[in-house]
């Protein structure tokens, strides 16, 4: 048949052949049709898919095409499906929906492919009205057996935010595959329902690498990195082969948790598995090493990258900044500009952090100005917060306050909190009270702001005011977050809470502290009890100081790690002045490097000094 058709086509003059095969409009189609009739040539020489494509979007032309296609042996819906697929994947997917409506008007019976293509268009447009119509067609024509189509419907409802409907569809599905479960988990995670997503995950009859990776990523995004790491270890036990996306997710969990040993193992696995050149993996490795306090390893990954993105440069600049290497951060930025890489907003957040922590006020002002002037980057709330932090740390509190007052966007809790922190260091009660009034409106349940104001009053020996603030906390149901520090030893994370003596090695920890204390006092150490802002006896204040969670974690680390190895501690709050002074001395006494990551930055203690210019 194909040979006959081909020979018939070649029997036509070249101009007629071109017209029959390459018509581009309904008018040219009609001319080709007329020519075939006049020459008594079979209509089957006209490509049916071309008939559909040139006539699909006009009602009158569609009617003509419908009649013409009736003369072909091929089922009409097969021809129209090709056109639907093209339209659904085009820049104007609504045309696929219009074509489907015409098909229904002319009683062209759809098949499962028809529904899939039109549903794809509805999904692209998030058109819930027409998507529900297609769902109805699926039910009417009995296409429920088609699992691909059912999974598309699940995904459609999930993207439209109709999770209750998606759950109903899922529950009624005659059969499900791993894709069905993954779709539900994906959209539950996106909707913020972590518990619901984990519930589906735990009930899955089988899981693939996507299932595990999604849940690990969900743990990271929901602030549960420990659970994410545990899931990965379980995934390994189940023999599931990880991919690049899994590696990124696990490295992100390691970064948040400070799980350096696992992060290094994943790094080695990435090299063996051929992921070592993946830019996203490498960028996440830089972030992981930075957050685990291994700046040198982060720098090594960065320098060995064959191709760097703006994410790579920004991560390195931010890492250097939070480790107290401001000048090097500025040098890396200059090198980036010289190589023609355009900075983004994240880059400038890193630069402003570097300037803030090292007191580089003039440089900070210059960077803030050139963001918009030289690079067209509109400052966001994070940039304004960095500038307030810069002024506040430098003691320019009035300038910080004026800066806030002149901001073109409404300041948030972070902005006012930065000013409040500066007021504590530089003992400005009046501005602290104003900052706290705004914070009470913006972030009423944040315990940190109440504590800072209470401490400011206590340092000024305004005990009644300090007591009043703490009573206000109690009345508003705000609870003080206890200091908590963690340290990983032999792959196990050990957590310590301030004043906690319930650890199995509590006695050994206490003995270690007493030994360290004796050595420290020989070197002139005196407990800085001014950081204990309670109206109690001096001895009682010292007891509070010695029970700080990072001191407990440090003693545990000294007991349970080999001599000379680096001790890495993660703390949820800011390191206090006394711990900062003590750790400098201890690093020299035990000849160890001690890395502490607190709420704001890294402190790398070595040979009696800290990498940071200040401890705030």
């Amino acid at each position: 048949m194909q040979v006959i058709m081909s020979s018939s086509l070649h029997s036509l003059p070249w101009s007629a052949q071109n017209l029959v095969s390459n018509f581009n409009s309904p008018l040219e189609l009609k001319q080709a049709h007329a020519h075939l009739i006049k020459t008594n040539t079979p209509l089957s020489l006209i490509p049916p898919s071309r008939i559909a494509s040139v006539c699909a979007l006009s009602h009158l032309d569609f009617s003509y095409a419908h009649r013409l296609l009736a003369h072909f042996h091929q089922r009409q819906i097969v021809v129209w499906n090709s056109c639907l697929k093209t339209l659904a994947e085009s820049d104007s997917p609504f045309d696929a929906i219009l074509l489907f409506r015409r098909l229904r008007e002319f009683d062209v019976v759809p098949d499962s492919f028809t529904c899939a293509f039109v549903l794809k268009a509805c999904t692209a447009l998030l058109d819930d009205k027409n998507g529900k119509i297609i769902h109805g067609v699926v039910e009417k024509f009995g296409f429920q057996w088609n699992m691909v189509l059912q999974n598309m419907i699940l995904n459609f409802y999930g993207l439209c935010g109709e999770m209750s409907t998606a759950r109903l569809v899922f529950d009624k599905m005659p059969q499900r595959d791993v894709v069905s479960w993954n779709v539900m988990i994906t959209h539950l995670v996106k909707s913020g329902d972590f518990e619901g997503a984990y519930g589906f995950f735990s009930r899955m009859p089988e899981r693939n690498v996507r299932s595990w990776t999604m849940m690990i990523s969900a743990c990271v995004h929901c602030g549960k990195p420990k659970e994410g790491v545990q899931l990965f270890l379980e995934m390994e036990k189940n023999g599931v082969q990880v991919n690049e996306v899994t590696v990124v997710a696990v490295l992100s969990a390691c970064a948040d948790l400070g799980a350096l040993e696992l992060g290094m193992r994943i790094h080695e696995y990435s090299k063996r598995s051929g992921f070592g050149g993946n830019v996203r993996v490498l960028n996440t490795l830089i972030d992981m090493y930075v957050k685990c306090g291994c700046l040198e390893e982060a720098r090594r990954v960065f320098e060995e990258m064959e191709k760097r993105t703006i994410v790579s440069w920004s991560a390195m600049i931010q890492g250097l900044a939070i480790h107290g290497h401001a000048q090097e951060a500025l040098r890396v930025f200059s090198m980036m500009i010289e190589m023609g890489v355009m900075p983004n907003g994240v880059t400038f957040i890193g630069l402003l952090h570097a300037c803030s922590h090292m007191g580089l006020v003039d440089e900070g002002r210059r960077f803030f100005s050139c963001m918009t002037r030289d690079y067209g980057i509109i400052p966001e709330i994070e940039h304004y917060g960095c500038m307030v932090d810069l002024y506040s740390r430098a003691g320019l509190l009035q300038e910080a306050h004026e800066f806030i007052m002149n901001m073109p966007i409404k300041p948030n809790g972070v902005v006012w909190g930065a000013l409040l922190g500066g007021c504590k260091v530089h003992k400005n009660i009046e501005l602290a009270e104003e900052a706290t009034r705004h914070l009470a409106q913006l972030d009423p349940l944040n315990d940190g702001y109440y504590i800072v104001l209470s401490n400011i009053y206590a340092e000024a020996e305004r005990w009644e005011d300090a007591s009043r603030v703490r009573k206000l906390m109690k009345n508003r149901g705000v609870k003080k977050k206890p200091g908590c520090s963690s340290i990983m030893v032999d792959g196990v994370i050990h957590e310590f809470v301030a004043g906690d003596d319930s650890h199995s090695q509590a006695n050994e920890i206490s003995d270690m502290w007493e030994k360290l204390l004796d050595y420290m006092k020989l070197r002139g150490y005196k407990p800085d009890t001014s950081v204990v802002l309670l109206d109690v006896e001096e001895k009682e204040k010292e007891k509070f100081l010695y029970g700080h969670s990072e001191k407990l974690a440090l003693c545990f680390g000294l007991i349970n790690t080999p001599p000379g190895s680096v001790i890495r501690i993660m703390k949820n709050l800011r390191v206090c002045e006394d711990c900062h002074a003590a750790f400098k001395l201890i690093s020299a006494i035990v000849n160890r490097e001690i890395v502490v990551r607190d709420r704001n930055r890294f402190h790398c203690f070595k040979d009696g000094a800290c990498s940071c210019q200040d401890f705030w």
Side-chain angles (χ1 to χ4, degrees):
M1 180 66 178
Q2 183 62 38
V3 174
I4 295 171
M5 288 174 61
S6 179
S7 60
S8 298
L9 182 62
H10 288 304
S11 66
L12 297 173
W14 182 87
S15 59
Q17 291 180 34
N18 188 54
L19 181 63
V20 170
S21 301
N22 299 311
F23 54 87
N24 293 308
S25 68
L27 177 60
E28 291 182 356
L29 167 61
K30 290 173 183 177
Q31 290 173 346
H33 185 190
H35 183 82
L36 293 178
I37 292 173
K38 286 180 182 179
T39 58
N40 198 29
T41 307
L43 292 179
S44 57
L45 291 182
I46 304 176
S49 59
R50 201 164 186 84
I51 295 173
S53 63
V54 300
C55 296
L57 301 180
S58 166
H59 185 76
L60 291 176
D61 295 328
F62 179 89
S63 177
Y64 165 66
H66 177 64
R67 294 194 305 274
L68 187 58
L69 288 171
H71 295 279
F72 287 71
H73 295 297
Q74 191 174 18
R75 288 172 58 224
Q76 275 211 42
I77 193 59
V78 175
V79 178
W80 290 114
N81 279 347
S82 176
C83 191
L84 282 169
K85 181 177 186 295
T86 301
L87 292 173
E89 295 172 352
S90 73
D91 294 333
S92 182
F94 190 71
D95 289 339
I97 298 172
L98 292 177
L99 176 56
F100 176 75
R101 288 178 180 172
R102 293 198 182 105
L103 290 170
R104 299 303 298 129
E105 288 172 13
F106 283 81
D107 294 323
V108 179
V109 179
D111 61 12
S112 59
F113 291 104
T114 313
C115 295
F117 298 141
V118 183
L119 190 59
K120 186 172 186 177
C122 294
T123 301
L125 296 165
L126 296 182
D127 185 344
D128 59 340
K129 180 180 178 182
N130 284 300
K132 289 174 181 176
I133 290 172
I134 300 301
H135 186 188
V137 171
V138 170
E139 296 292 325
K140 178 180 178 180
F141 285 89
F143 299 145
Q144 299 92 330
W145 54 269
N146 189 316
M147 203 178 302
V148 171
L149 198 51
Q150 290 288 85
N151 289 338
M152 289 183 71
I153 292 170
L154 279 181
N155 187 49
F156 165 75
Y157 283 121
L159 287 170
C160 289
E162 299 191 26
M163 287 309 300
S164 57
T165 307
R167 283 176 185 257
L168 286 174
V169 173
F170 181 87
D171 291 340
K172 291 181 179 179
M173 286 175 68
Q175 54 182 338
R176 309 180 189 99
D177 61 7
V178 69
V179 175
S180 316
W181 290 88
N182 284 347
V183 168
M184 289 300 296
I185 291 171
T186 298
H187 291 298
L188 286 166
V189 169
K190 287 182 178 178
S191 68
D193 186 1
F194 175 82
E195 296 303 326
Y198 190 79
F200 269 84
F201 178 79
S202 62
R203 297 197 303 273
M204 289 181 76
E206 63 170 316
R207 301 165 181 158
N208 61 12
V209 63
R210 180 174 173 80
S211 317
W212 288 97
T213 301
M214 280 193 302
M215 279 314 305
I216 294 169
S217 297
C219 288
V220 175
H221 293 143
C222 293
K224 299 176 183 289
K226 189 174 182 178
E227 289 81 352
V229 166
Q230 289 171 343
L231 277 176
F232 171 73
L233 297 176
E234 186 181 343
M235 177 184 179
E236 279 191 317
K237 287 180 182 178
N238 281 270
V240 181
Q241 192 75 16
V242 306
N243 58 23
E244 291 100 322
V245 183
T246 319
V247 166
V248 169
V250 180
L251 287 174
S252 297
C254 292
D256 290 345
L257 199 59
L260 177 62
E261 293 175 22
L262 178 59
M264 293 178 73
R265 181 160 69 83
I266 298 298
H267 186 182
E268 290 302 315
Y269 173 84
S270 298
K271 291 178 182 177
R272 294 196 307 272
S273 303
F275 305 155
N278 184 296
V279 174
R280 193 178 174 200
V281 169
L282 293 173
N283 288 342
T284 312
L285 274 168
I286 293 172
D287 183 62
M288 185 274 294
Y289 279 125
V290 163
K291 289 181 177 176
C292 288
C294 290
L295 188 61
E296 289 306 314
E297 286 298 324
R299 188 186 280 110
R300 186 174 293 110
V301 172
F302 177 78
E303 290 175 349
E304 291 177 357
M305 290 178 74
E306 294 182 6
K307 181 182 178 181
R308 300 176 186 135
T309 65
I310 184 58
V311 176
S312 320
W313 289 97
S314 298
M316 199 65 242
I317 290 169
Q318 179 75 7
L320 290 164
I322 64 175
H323 278 269
H325 297 266
Q327 294 297 344
E328 190 175 354
L330 305 192
R331 184 185 62 79
V332 170
F333 175 73
S334 297
M335 186 167 60
M336 181 186 95
I337 298 302
E338 287 174 7
M339 295 185 70
V341 181
M342 289 295 290
N344 61 17
V346 177
T347 315
F348 280 99
I349 290 174
L351 290 169
L352 292 174
H353 272 153
C355 295
S356 177
H357 285 295
M358 300 304 289
L360 305 176
V361 177
D362 291 338
E363 289 86 344
R365 287 194 185 109
R366 180 169 57 83
F367 282 126
F368 188 79
S369 297
C370 78
M371 276 179 63
T372 305
R373 184 188 66 235
D374 298 341
Y375 302 103
I377 300 170
I378 304 301
E380 298 181 7
I381 194 69
E382 293 84 0
H383 301 101
Y384 288 106
C386 287
M387 286 303 294
V388 174
D389 188 57
L390 171 67
Y391 290 135
S392 298
R393 286 177 183 273
L396 303 174
L397 299 179
Q398 290 301 330
E399 192 167 347
H401 182 256
E402 289 174 15
F403 185 86
I404 295 173
M405 293 295 99
N406 293 322
M407 282 173 55
I409 55 180
K410 184 179 179 181
N412 63 5
V414 175
V415 171
W416 285 108
L419 177 62
L420 181 62
C423 291
K424 179 183 184 298
V425 174
H426 300 288
K427 299 177 173 53
N428 189 317
I429 295 176
E430 183 180 349
L431 277 181
E433 290 174 333
E434 181 181 349
T436 307
R437 282 194 294 271
H438 288 282
L439 290 165
Q441 298 295 321
L442 294 166
D443 198 0
L445 298 180
N446 190 317
D447 66 307
Y449 304 136
Y450 295 93
I451 298 299
V452 171
L453 181 61
S454 175
N455 290 352
I456 290 172
Y457 285 136
E459 285 183 348
E461 297 187 353
R462 289 171 55 171
W463 301 110
E464 289 185 6
D465 287 326
S467 178
R468 175 175 53 79
V469 172
R470 292 183 182 265
K471 284 179 181 177
L472 185 62
M473 284 181 66
K474 185 177 181 180
N475 293 337
R476 292 180 177 177
V478 180
K479 294 184 178 179
K480 183 181 182 300
K481 185 186 299 181
C484 179
S485 297
S486 63
I487 180 171
M488 179 173 280
V489 176
D490 295 331
V492 179
I493 295 172
H494 297 264
E495 294 182 336
F496 296 88
V497 177
D500 184 14
D501 59 359
S502 61
H503 194 275
S504 59
Q505 289 184 269
N507 291 334
E508 295 172 70
I509 291 170
S510 179
D511 291 342
M512 173 59 74
W513 175 251
E514 291 299 328
K515 291 177 184 177
L516 290 173
L517 194 55
D518 289 339
Y519 284 112
M520 288 161 61
K521 286 180 178 178
L522 290 174
R523 297 186 178 219
Y525 168 75
K526 292 183 180 179
D528 185 357
T529 55
S530 67
V531 302
V532 181
L533 300 171
L534 298 173
D535 192 9
V536 295
E537 294 294 327
E538 198 69 14
K539 286 293 182 183
E540 199 65 23
K541 288 184 178 182
E542 289 183 14
K543 185 178 178 182
F544 277 107
L545 273 183
Y546 300 158
H548 280 191
S549 62
E550 58 266 55
K551 290 188 174 93
L552 301 178
L554 173 59
C555 291
F556 175 83
L558 290 170
I559 294 167
N560 294 282
T561 57
S565 61
V566 179
I567 293 177
R568 304 177 193 278
I569 297 168
M570 309 292 158
K571 186 177 181 184
N572 64 333
L573 303 177
R574 183 178 66 86
V575 171
C576 76
E577 294 94 318
D578 182 75
C579 288
H580 192 267
F583 277 36
K584 286 197 290 187
L585 288 173
I586 293 171
S587 68
I589 292 168
V590 299
N591 194 26
R592 295 257 210 138
E593 183 178 352
I594 304 165
V595 180
V596 180
R597 184 177 102 189
D598 71 8
R599 185 180 59 191
N600 294 331
R601 62 193 301 184
F602 276 90
H603 304 268
C604 301
F605 302 97
K606 188 176 182 181
D607 299 328
C610 177
S611 61
C612 302
Q613 181 171 298
D614 58 25
F615 57 84
W616 178 30

